[in-house]
Amino acid sequence: VAAVLWITPLRRLAGLAVGLLLALWVVVAYTPVTGWMAVGLVRQDRVQAADAVVVFGSRVQPDGDPTTDAMSRLLRGVELVADGRARYLIVSELGGSEHGRYTPLAQDWVGRYAPKAEVLTVGPISNTHDEAVAVERLFRERRWRRVLAVTSPTHTRRAAATLETQGLEVIAVPSVETDFDLELPEHPGDRRAALDGIVHEWVGLFVYAQRGWID
């Protein structure tokens, strides 16, 4: 786009846009701004026994292989049921034919590492709010109240708040962040990789608050 604009009277505008993008890239990659932006997003509660573990949905490849987020979240959820924190593990299926199914993978892992636990499924869902509503419906049917909510670290605040708005007692449990070093984002690549998710979560918190989906 910049190359096309360069041969038009909008040349200066194109140059300014490229310069601003370059400045943003340098600031994100070589300053602590990404780490500062992440402050307040991660919620980690003391792990306690609960009625069920909810593993928030993440994309699974069409062939059934998990993405890194899906694998990390599910692994933490299986660890909790294997440790006896809950008997039930709940996973969400994303809508759309482009997504693989989470349930078979969860059943396989639970069968191998926590055979006394049971996998339940909600969905299809399209966002965190849909997921919280579906989970609350299942909890109401079974007369449950306390949930161990497992998701990626920067998603924990919004995920837990959305469940709490549905009236559930939430214990937030972050999974391991495998895409970048969230705790010590000193490498330029980690800082750049973290920016997208961090901005997404702050925008998500604002939008959810505006829609009344969180307090």
Side-chain angles (χ1 to χ4, degrees):
V1 172
V4 172
L5 291 177
W6 194 254
I7 61 175
T8 73
L10 298 176
R11 176 184 301 181
R12 290 184 178 180
L13 180 61
L16 177 62
V18 171
L20 290 175
L21 288 173
L22 178 60
L24 176 62
W25 187 90
V26 171
V27 168
V28 169
Y30 295 102
T31 74
V33 67
T34 303
W36 298 340
M37 291 174 63
V39 174
L41 286 179
V42 181
R43 172 174 162 179
Q44 183 168 10
D45 301 326
R46 183 173 65 86
V47 175
Q48 306 175 51
D51 296 302
V53 174
V54 170
V55 176
F56 274 77
S58 187
R59 190 178 70 84
V60 175
Q61 297 174 11
D63 63 0
D65 290 338
T67 57
T68 54
D69 282 346
M71 182 183 297
S72 181
R73 294 179 185 186
L74 183 57
L75 176 60
R76 189 69 183 100
V78 171
E79 287 176 344
L80 291 170
V81 293
D83 288 343
R85 301 294 187 173
R87 179 183 173 186
Y88 298 94
L89 178 77
I90 302 171
V91 294
S92 304
E93 297 291 4
L94 300 179
S97 58
E98 70 276 15
H99 300 295
R101 297 190 63 238
Y102 216 176
T103 304
L105 183 65
Q107 290 173 333
D108 180 38
W109 287 16
V110 166
R112 290 169 181 262
Y113 307 115
K116 294 182 179 179
E118 181 179 345
V119 176
L120 303 175
T121 305
V122 296
I125 56 97
S126 58
N127 56 45
T128 300
H129 173 255
D130 289 351
E131 199 164 7
V133 170
V135 168
E136 188 279 331
R137 186 182 303 117
L138 176 61
F139 267 60
R140 183 166 15 97
E141 292 171 355
R142 300 210 172 207
R143 298 183 179 180
W144 293 342
R145 180 163 182 79
R146 180 182 290 177
V147 55
L148 285 157
V150 178
T151 189
S152 301
T154 55
H155 186 229
T156 48
R157 177 177 172 181
R158 182 160 59 99
T162 310
L163 287 171
E164 287 173 338
T165 301
Q166 297 298 318
L168 300 181
E169 181 183 342
V170 180
I171 302 168
V173 184
S175 60
V176 176
E177 181 54 72
T178 56
D179 290 331
F180 50 86
D181 189 342
L182 180 63
E183 290 76 22
L184 293 171
E186 297 180 354
H187 190 277
D190 284 337
R191 290 168 173 168
R192 293 194 303 269
L195 182 66
D196 179 58
I198 290 171
V199 171
H200 176 84
E201 285 306 318
W202 282 117
V203 172
L205 285 167
F206 175 78
V207 171
Y208 274 40
Q210 294 299 307
R211 294 179 178 179
W213 292 350
I214 61 175
D215 185 0

